[in-house]
Amino acid sequence: MTDEVLEQAETSAGSKSVRLVPLPAAAMSALLQGDLPGASAAAGVALTEYLMTDEFLPVWRIRINQLGFAPGSALWSAHVALAEPDGVTVGHAGFHGPPTEAGMVEIGYSVDPGYRRRGYAKAMLRELLQRAAAEPGVRAVRATISPGNTASLATIAGFGFAQVGMQWDEEDGLEIIFEVRVPTVRPG
């Protein structure tokens, strides 16, 4: 991912801006228990019922376990996406875990249905790519997308991703694997 790609990503994301706030294990645990007020208190931001849907329950279990094994890895876990400047929760974005030994991180993001088609997914993607590029150990970013997910396929367009393969995911079925390289030398 060159500086030109990052600049193009900023243009592709349009005027929307998000701030990613780490979601602590206590907040994820409260979400699993259906305790939205407790989850919001633990997160320090107002969360939404969208984060308690069946789509997220397995994600929270996985991320809680990851944080249990590596408590200092919050940067590489789940984040709440807050629209800027108003601070409204518009979704979730994060990494599937810390960089592999090869320097690969995989990203994931989801926009609350009430905020879709407004540019928030691209803003989340831009933030994730910028965070990955800021980390010296990261050399590539991966995104996996179902071939039928036209919204996600459109979201990554213009961010420098290239299709590198296909895979079968036990939960999501067939996925296209996309990757973008992160420059090894970053401006100081």
Side-chain angles (χ1 to χ4, degrees):
M1 177 171 42
T2 65
D3 289 337
E4 289 174 1
V5 170
L6 282 174
E7 287 174 18
Q8 186 177 6
E10 288 179 20
T11 302
S12 294
S15 62
K16 295 298 182 188
S17 179
V18 296
R19 178 170 49 102
L20 300 182
V21 176
L23 196 57
M28 290 184 268
S29 182
L31 289 168
L32 285 170
Q33 296 168 20
D35 179 8
L36 187 59
S40 295
V45 297
L47 302 179
T48 64
E49 289 186 11
Y50 176 61
L51 299 176
M52 293 191 313
T53 61
D54 290 342
E55 172 184 352
F56 291 109
L57 299 181
V59 174
W60 304 147
R61 285 185 192 96
I62 291 167
R63 300 299 174 246
I64 288 169
N65 287 336
Q66 285 175 331
L67 290 173
F69 288 120
S73 66
L75 169 68
W76 303 111
S77 189
H79 294 75
V80 173
L82 303 176
E84 289 293 316
D86 54 354
V88 173
T89 298
V90 294
H92 154 271
F95 299 92
H96 290 216
T100 65
E101 287 188 27
M104 173 76 68
V105 292
E106 186 170 345
I107 58 171
Y109 50 89
S110 183
V111 179
D112 184 305
Y115 294 95
R116 290 184 180 160
R117 298 192 166 278
R118 298 185 194 179
Y120 290 114
K122 286 186 178 189
M124 288 181 209
L125 180 55
R126 180 186 66 229
E127 287 299 311
L128 291 170
L129 290 172
Q130 288 175 341
R131 284 182 182 216
E135 293 297 317
V138 177
R139 291 189 280 292
V141 176
R142 173 176 283 182
T144 57
I145 301 171
S146 167
N149 189 340
T150 55
S152 282
L153 293 170
T155 296
I156 69 166
F159 283 85
F161 282 90
Q163 182 176 338
V164 297
M166 305 278 286
Q167 70 180 17
W168 183 263
D169 183 86
E170 291 298 320
E171 290 182 26
D172 300 326
L174 184 64
E175 296 177 324
I176 305 170
I177 303 168
F178 293 94
E179 292 179 2
V180 63
R181 303 298 298 169
V182 174
T184 55
V185 178
R186 295 176 180 86

